[in-house]
């Protein structure tokens, strides 16, 4: 029966992790229509669930001090109590909003959000969160052969977490509605409760009644972990937790704003727990680590296109096509992958050697990441290759820190305290990045600064006596590398770059190091600010344009000065500052020669036919470029989540003047803070409905799905005239929103037009795609007939015109209850 005992405990822990990772994104999606997609909502949800997890581990730690039967009785009451909110609410928020907790309109929504989370999911989540430490403590008291070291069960728990993390966006979210997900979670909880009762029964049946004399002596002689040891556990858990969040933020803002990219750092974070705490055979470990470089090579070589396959035949055809594409790895990258693979073969034969390998790789990856801006200047390094390098650093740090935790784990007697310290470190890492860092830093300073802490803890591994000097040398190199890079990154974070240039010598070790790191130490922009909505900067840039003069037949240079607003790599808009006569010109995605210019021409014609000025709504302020089209008596209402955006675009003309200039021309400009959908819904239309509504919120990795659902568009059209238009910028490097909106338009019998624009050199025109949707199909007839020709450099011509949208029946229609990001991903796109 030993195998049944072990299997039951393992599966129960696996399922508990599945439930924990399933409920968090599900509840977040349920709350979207009520409070919108503001980062404050997601941050509050994350802090709430982390606090409950810490509370669950504290509960398990205190409960473990009681007699076993008392533990089972108390825990049974908690598990049954968790069924009460599930039976009453079934994850439905609507009954609460209609009775005791109406949705806040003007007041701070955070107390309301915490109350809703507590009533709808708090008790079940708390009950499940107690499982991992408590069941491992029960298992350690059985007569099973592996009971003396139950930490391998923690690997099973993390395996469940990782599989749920991968399956939710790929399987659960696309295949189930929110209602179906809630029902599935409740059924899973019932099964989980039954399994916990079974585990309690098995633990009681297989309880060690009489301990051997040597075991009694061992327990009597066991010294409780000191306070310093417990602080060390907290620190070792803090570093990977903070770095995982920092890596995710850096990748999705500064490298590639790719949806679902956040899954990879979290998956590697969980994978490291599985590897260091599990009893995995050496050949499995080697196969996994050898496969990582291979998968990286395949990804860089273009095999991502296979994810588009919709049948077995199509999969084989795409594989054959991808295999015919030459690999784009250069010699240095091939050497790097081969070096890691060979090192894994020779050093990865035991947990100790695996730990040694990660310690050796840690300073290498840290130096490469810190110097990556310099490397990208000298070599052709793609986004994907940069992402792989950052993930390699994260994985090595997680393996080193979690490996140190696994080495220092106490006897099962102090197991719950060990997990409590780990949980505390994880929570503190999350709070530091999401709450503390935005308050004390004006940009993302914590990454990769936190990674240097992994070097400063001086990790070690077991060696024979004759190899002690080699171990000391390795630890010295790792520590010095961490110290030097920490100092350099601290200089970047807190000391102006110009002052550093003046104070450092041109030669010597210090000067050489500075020149190596200088591309990473960017010159300060005009504005750099960070808050709970992210970090952005405003830059002053200068370009020289060459425009063709027909009379002389020559290209004449024209220097221009711009202000540009950036959120990572996402351009939120630009304005020409010099020459001042071009200040009103809308540029980038809003050029007069492009789709937006044609839309405003149509809007102006309608205004004359109606004999009144237009009323325009805009979701997202950015730099306020659309205000350049506003004339006297026009009404322009903008909705913006981030108050910093409003401050720099609307309340001062020091950086951008589009909104100020529109007011000076006599336009009525109003800016409202809050989520766009909620703001539109609450907008008072007594003075008239809008003629047009613009949305430009889908360029980054964080896609506000709640703005693209059927219910959202019903809100928009309720605030629009009968012939009103919704205009959406769907340009995104990684997502194709055309079928989403086309399916919606077809299902509601609306008309949809799309125009895909290209970059026009010398005109500050960016390539983008604009979609126009109207309930009145005939209202778009005149716009559908407009187009704009452009000349190419080789005297060719292309025409940007409006086309009917193309639906995709396999995608379905997005609603507040269903969406599917995976199906619209451009997997093979760079």
């Amino acid at each position: 029966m030993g195998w049944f005992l072990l299997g039951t405990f393992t599966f129960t822990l696996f399922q508990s992790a599945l439930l924990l990772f399933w409920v968090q994104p599900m509840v977040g999606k349920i709350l979207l229509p009520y409070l919108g997609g503001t980062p404050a909502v997601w941050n509050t949800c994350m802090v709430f669930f982390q606090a409950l997890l810490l509370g669950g581990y504290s509960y398990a730690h205190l409960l473990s001090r009681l007699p076993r039967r008392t533990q089972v009785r108390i825990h049974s009451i908690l598990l049954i109590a968790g069924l009460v909110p599930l039976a009453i609410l079934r994850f439905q928020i609507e009954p609460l909003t209609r009775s005791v907790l109406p949705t806040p309109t003007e007041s701070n929504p955070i107390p309301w959000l915490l109350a809703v989370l507590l009533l709808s999911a708090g008790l079940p989540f708390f009950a499940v969160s107690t499982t991992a430490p408590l069941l491992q403590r029960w298992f350690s008291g059985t007569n099973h052969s592996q009971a003396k070291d139950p930490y391998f069960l923690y690997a099973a728990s993390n395996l469940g977490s990782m599989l749920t993390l991968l399956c939710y966006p790929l399987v659960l979210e696309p295949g189930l509605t929110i209602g179906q997900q809630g029902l599935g979670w409740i059924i899973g909880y019932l099964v989980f409760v039954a399994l916990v009762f079974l585990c309690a029964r098995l633990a009681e049946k297989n309880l060690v009644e009489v301990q051997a004399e040597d075991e009694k002596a061992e327990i009597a002689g066991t010294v409780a972990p000191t306070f310093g040891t417990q602080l060390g556990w907290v620190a070792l858990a803090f570093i990977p937790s903070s770095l995982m969040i920092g890596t995710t933020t850096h990748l999705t803002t500064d490298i590639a704003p790719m949806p679902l990219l956040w899954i990879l750092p979290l998956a590697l974070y969980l994978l490291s727990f599985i590897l260091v705490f599990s009893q995995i055979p050496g050949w499995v470990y080697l196969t996994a680590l050898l496969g990582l470089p291979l998968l990286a090579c395949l990804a860089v070589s273009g095999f991502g296109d296979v994810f588009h396959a919709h049948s077995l035949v199509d999969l084989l055809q795409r594989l054959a096509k991808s295999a015919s594409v030459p690999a784009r790895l250069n010699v240095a990258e091939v050497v790097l992958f081969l070096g890691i693979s060979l090192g894994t073969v020779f050093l990865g034969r035991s947990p100790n050697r695996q730990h040694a390998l990660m310690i050796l790789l840690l300073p290498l990856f840290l130096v490469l990441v810190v110097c990556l801006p310099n490397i990208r200047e000298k070599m052709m390094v793609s986004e994907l290759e940069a992402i792989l390098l950052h993930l390699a650093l994260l994985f090595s740090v997680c393996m080193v820190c979690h490996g140190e935790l696994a080495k220092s784990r106490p006897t099962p007697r102090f197991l719950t305290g060990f997990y409590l310290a780990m949980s505390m470190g994880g929570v503190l890492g999350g709070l530091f990045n999401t709450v503390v860092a935005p308050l004390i830093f004006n940009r993302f300073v914590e990454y990769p600064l936190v990674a240097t802490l992994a070097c400063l803890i001086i990790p070690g591994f077991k060696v024979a006596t004759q190899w002690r000097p080699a171990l000391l040398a390795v630890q010295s190199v790792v520590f010095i590398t961490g110290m030097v890079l920490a100092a350099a990154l601290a200089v970047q974070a807190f000391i102006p770059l110009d002052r550093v240039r003046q104070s450092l010598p041109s030669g010597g070790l210090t000067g050489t190091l500075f020149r190596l790191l200088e591309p990473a130490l960017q010159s300060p922009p005009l504005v750099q600010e960070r808050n709970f909505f992210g970090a952005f900067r405003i830059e002053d840039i200068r370009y020289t344009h060459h425009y063709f003069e027909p009379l002389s037949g020559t290209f004449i240079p024209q220097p221009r000065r711009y202000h540009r607003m950036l959120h990572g790599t996402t351009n939120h808009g630009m304005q020409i500052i010099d020459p001042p006569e071009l200040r009103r010109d809308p540029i980038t995605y809003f050029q007069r020669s492009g789709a937006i210019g044609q839309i405003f021409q149509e809007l102006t014609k309608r205004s004359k036919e109606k004999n009144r000025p237009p009323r325009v709504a805009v979701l997202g302020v950015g730099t306020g470029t659309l205000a350049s089209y506003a004339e006297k008596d026009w009404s322009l209402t903008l909705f913006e989540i981030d108050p910093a955006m409003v401050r720099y675009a609307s309340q001062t003309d020091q950086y951008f003047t589009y909104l100020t200039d529109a007011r000076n021309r006599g336009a009525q400009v109003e800016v409202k803070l809050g989520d766009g959908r909620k703001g539109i819904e609450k907008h008072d239309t007594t003075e008239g409905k809008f003629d047009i509504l613009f949305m430009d919120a889908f360029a980054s990795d964080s896609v506000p799905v709640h703005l693209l659902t059927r219910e959202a568009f019903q809100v928009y059209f309720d605030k629009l005239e009968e012939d009103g238009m919704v205009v959406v910028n769907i340009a995104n490097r990684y997502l194709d929103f055309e079928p989403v909106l086309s399916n919606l338009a077809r299902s509601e019998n609306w008309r949809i037009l799309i125009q895909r624009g290209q970059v026009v050199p010398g005109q500050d025109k960016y390539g983008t795609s604009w979609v126009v949707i109207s309930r009145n199909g005939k209202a778009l007839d005149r716009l559908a007939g407009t187009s704009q020709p452009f000349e190419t450099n080789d005297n060719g011509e292309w025409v940007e015109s409006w086309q009917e949208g193309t639906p995709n029946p396999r995608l379905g229609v997005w609603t507040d209850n269903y969406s599917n990001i995976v199906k619209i991903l451009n997997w093979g796109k760079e």
Side-chain angles (χ1 to χ4, degrees):
M1 292 293 291
W3 62 269
F4 184 73
L5 173 68
L6 178 61
T8 303
F9 272 82
T10 302
F11 184 74
T12 305
L13 286 167
F14 177 89
Q15 191 188 13
S16 69
L18 186 150
L19 293 175
L20 290 177
F21 265 72
W22 183 356
V23 72
Q24 298 179 55
M26 181 181 70
V27 171
K29 288 196 66 174
I30 293 173
L31 289 168
L32 269 179
Y34 294 93
L35 293 180
T38 65
V41 173
W42 294 109
N43 290 340
T44 303
C45 289
M46 186 192 70
V47 171
F48 174 82
F49 285 119
Q50 284 185 330
L52 276 188
L53 185 64
L54 181 61
Y57 277 43
S58 301
Y59 161 89
H61 179 60
L62 295 175
L63 191 67
S64 64
R65 299 179 178 181
L66 302 176
R68 177 66 56 82
R69 292 184 179 180
T70 305
Q71 295 180 34
V72 173
R73 293 191 187 101
I74 295 176
H75 198 58
S76 298
I77 295 173
L78 175 63
L79 292 173
I80 295 173
L83 290 170
V84 175
L86 297 178
I88 297 175
L89 294 176
R90 300 188 297 278
F91 292 111
Q92 295 178 10
I93 310 299
E94 195 66 26
L96 292 176
T97 61
R98 292 178 178 176
S99 55
V100 295
L101 288 172
T103 307
T105 55
E106 302 297 334
S107 61
N108 182 6
I110 300 302
W112 178 89
L113 177 57
L114 292 174
V116 168
L117 287 171
L118 185 63
L119 291 176
S120 61
L123 195 55
F125 184 91
F126 178 82
V128 177
S129 69
T130 64
T131 302
L134 192 60
L135 260 63
Q136 290 179 60
R137 188 72 178 89
W138 290 357
F139 182 79
S140 68
T142 66
N143 56 12
H144 195 275
S145 59
Q146 300 187 53
K148 291 184 179 181
D149 187 15
Y151 289 96
F152 68 93
L153 292 173
Y154 189 57
S157 177
N158 280 281
L159 178 62
S161 300
M162 189 174 73
L163 291 180
T164 308
L165 170 70
L166 298 175
C167 289
Y168 185 83
L170 299 176
V171 179
L172 294 176
E173 186 180 31
L176 301 175
T177 65
I178 290 295
Q180 292 169 339
Q181 289 181 40
L183 178 61
W185 201 94
I186 294 173
I187 295 174
Y189 184 83
L190 290 172
V191 175
F192 163 76
V193 171
L195 286 172
V196 172
F197 287 157
L198 179 59
C199 288
R201 176 61 180 163
L202 290 173
E204 186 71 21
K205 185 178 180 180
N206 295 273
L207 186 66
V208 179
E209 298 292 345
V210 180
Q211 294 177 326
E213 292 299 326
D214 56 343
E215 291 181 351
K216 291 182 179 179
E218 180 183 350
I219 294 176
T222 301
V223 179
T226 63
F227 181 70
T229 299
Q230 295 175 16
L231 282 181
W233 292 339
V234 173
L236 288 170
F238 170 88
I239 295 171
S241 174
S242 174
L243 187 66
M244 183 266 295
I245 298 174
T247 302
T248 304
T249 303
H250 180 71
L251 291 182
T252 55
T253 56
D254 296 329
I255 303 295
M258 185 186 301
L260 303 184
L261 183 58
W262 59 270
I263 291 177
L264 295 180
L266 186 52
L268 290 177
Y269 175 80
L270 296 173
L271 177 62
S272 65
F273 278 119
I274 298 172
L275 294 176
V276 301
F277 280 98
S278 62
Q279 300 173 359
I280 298 177
W283 67 270
V284 176
Y285 188 91
L286 285 175
T287 302
L289 286 184
L290 285 172
L292 289 177
L294 176 61
L295 290 175
C297 293
L298 292 178
V300 175
S301 300
F303 275 81
D305 186 56
V306 300
F307 292 101
H308 270 310
H310 51 79
S311 66
L312 179 60
V313 175
D314 188 34
L315 174 65
L316 296 176
Q317 291 175 346
R318 291 176 183 271
L319 277 172
K321 180 180 177 181
S322 299
S324 64
V325 178
R328 294 187 294 275
L329 291 174
N330 58 41
V331 176
E333 292 161 340
V334 172
V335 171
L336 177 62
F337 285 127
L338 289 178
I340 296 174
S341 301
L342 292 175
T344 304
V345 170
F346 290 107
L347 296 177
R349 298 179 181 177
S350 68
N352 183 57
R353 291 190 176 187
Q354 294 159 9
H355 193 55
L357 172 64
M358 292 303 163
I359 293 174
L360 292 172
L361 291 177
L362 173 59
L364 170 64
F365 288 139
L366 182 57
V367 170
L368 289 175
V369 165
V370 173
C371 299
L372 187 57
N374 195 312
I375 297 173
R376 296 189 77 171
E377 282 190 356
K378 303 296 189 297
M379 301 170 57
M380 294 297 294
V381 180
S382 68
E383 286 181 353
L384 183 55
E385 293 160 356
I387 289 172
L388 292 174
L389 190 55
H390 285 284
L391 293 178
L393 172 63
L394 171 65
F395 185 65
S396 62
V397 169
C398 290
M399 288 294 292
V400 168
C401 292
H402 294 159
E404 292 291 318
L405 279 170
K407 283 168 49 182
S408 62
R409 63 184 183 269
T411 61
R413 183 184 177 190
F414 305 106
L415 177 147
T416 55
F418 175 69
Y419 284 130
L420 179 59
M422 287 178 55
S423 176
M424 176 67 74
V427 170
L428 290 177
L431 291 176
F432 174 73
N433 283 65
T434 58
V435 178
V436 178
L439 296 176
I440 62 177
F441 300 133
N442 66 350
R443 56 192 183 279
F444 292 113
V445 171
E446 63 272 19
Y447 180 84
L449 185 60
V450 172
T452 62
L453 298 179
C455 297
L456 301 182
I457 63 175
I458 316 180
F461 47 90
K462 296 178 182 179
V463 294
T465 305
Q466 63 269 26
W467 291 103
R468 292 281 176 84
L471 172 61
L472 182 60
V474 169
Q475 290 179 318
S476 300
V477 170
V478 173
F479 181 79
I480 292 173
T481 302
M483 282 291 294
V484 171
L485 294 180
L489 293 171
V491 167
Q492 173 193 6
F494 303 110
I495 303 177
L497 184 59
D498 293 337
R499 190 186 304 173
V500 177
R501 287 195 181 100
Q502 296 172 3
S503 60
L504 289 181
S506 58
L509 178 61
T510 307
T512 303
L513 177 63
F514 177 79
R515 288 196 300 273
L516 181 64
L517 298 176
E518 187 170 8
L521 310 179
Q522 302 172 357
S523 299
L526 295 176
V527 172
Q528 186 138 332
E529 186 166 323
R530 180 181 181 184
N531 55 23
F532 293 105
F533 301 92
F536 72 92
R537 62 188 185 275
I538 300 175
E539 299 177 340
D540 185 282
I541 58 176
R542 301 171 189 268
Y543 290 140
T544 298
H545 286 271
H546 295 79
Y547 67 94
F548 184 73
E549 174 56 53
L551 297 178
S552 62
T554 59
F555 286 92
I556 300 177
Q558 183 187 60
R560 291 182 184 177
R561 177 168 158 253
Y562 304 81
H563 283 174
R564 177 174 64 184
M565 181 181 288
L566 292 172
H567 176 252
T569 58
T570 302
N571 188 340
H572 281 290
M574 296 171 60
Q575 183 176 17
I576 301 174
I577 302 302
D578 189 33
E581 61 269 16
L582 299 179
R583 191 170 67 176
R584 185 180 175 180
D585 287 2
I587 56 176
T588 62
Y589 314 105
F590 312 98
Q591 267 276 359
R592 295 188 187 277
S593 59
I596 291 298
Q598 299 166 25
I599 291 171
F600 272 99
Q601 289 176 10
E602 170 66 18
L603 186 64
T604 302
K605 293 176 182 177
R606 292 188 185 186
S607 174
K608 293 178 180 179
E609 293 169 357
K610 296 178 180 180
N611 196 28
R612 66 166 177 81
R615 292 184 285 266
V616 181
V618 181
L619 269 61
V621 170
T623 58
T625 310
L626 286 172
S628 63
Y629 288 94
E631 301 292 350
K632 184 179 180 181
D633 296 329
W634 283 35
S635 174
L636 185 64
T637 306
L638 302 99
F639 301 86
E640 174 59 52
I641 292 177
D642 191 348
M645 291 284 185
V646 177
R647 186 165 65 252
Y648 291 109
S650 176
Q651 298 175 359
T652 178
D653 57 0
Q654 184 177 357
Y655 306 104
F656 303 99
T657 65
Y658 286 124
L659 294 175
T660 302
D661 292 343
R663 292 188 180 100
N664 293 337
R665 291 193 299 271
Q668 301 174 16
V669 179
E670 182 181 11
V671 180
K672 296 185 176 182
L673 279 173
D675 176 75
R677 174 173 167 178
K678 302 302 293 184
I680 290 288
E681 188 176 3
K682 294 185 292 185
H683 181 73
D684 184 9
T685 58
T686 53
E687 296 183 1
K689 294 186 175 182
F690 295 117
D691 296 296
I692 192 168
L693 184 149
F694 289 92
M695 280 196 292
D696 183 16
F698 310 103
S700 67
D701 71 298
S702 181
V703 179
V705 171
H706 68 294
L707 298 181
L708 290 176
T709 62
R710 174 186 282 139
E711 293 84 350
F713 272 80
Q714 290 171 350
V715 170
Y716 306 151
F717 282 121
D718 283 344
K719 305 297 180 177
L720 286 169
E721 297 284 355
E722 185 60 31
D723 60 350
M725 299 180 288
V726 177
V727 183
V728 187
N729 182 2
I730 63 170
N732 191 292
R733 298 176 59 191
Y734 308 101
L735 295 170
D736 182 12
F737 289 106
E738 180 183 355
V740 175
L741 297 178
S742 298
N743 285 2
L744 174 60
R746 170 176 286 187
S747 69
E748 298 294 326
N749 199 26
W750 300 336
R751 189 176 182 185
I752 178 172
L753 299 177
I754 180 172
Q755 183 175 130
R756 300 187 183 277
Q758 300 185 35
V759 177
V760 180
Q763 294 188 20
D764 293 318
K765 180 180 181 296
Y766 288 9
T768 188
S769 298
W770 288 96
V771 162
V772 180
I773 302 176
S774 178
R775 291 174 295 183
N776 187 343
K778 293 183 178 180
L780 298 183
D781 286 343
R782 189 163 52 195
L783 179 64
T786 60
S787 61
Q788 178 66 46
F790 294 92
E791 292 185 0
T792 62
N793 293 332
D794 56 358
N795 295 323
E797 185 180 82
W798 82 86
V799 177
E800 295 182 358
S801 59
W802 295 96
Q803 307 292 330
E804 301 290 338
T806 304
N808 180 359
R810 291 199 302 267
L811 184 61
V813 177
W814 284 14
T815 66
D816 287 346
N817 203 30
Y818 170 80
S819 60
N820 189 348
I821 289 289
V822 175
K823 282 290 186 181
I824 64 171
L825 271 172
N826 295 317
W827 291 96
K829 196 171 182 178
E830 291 185 2

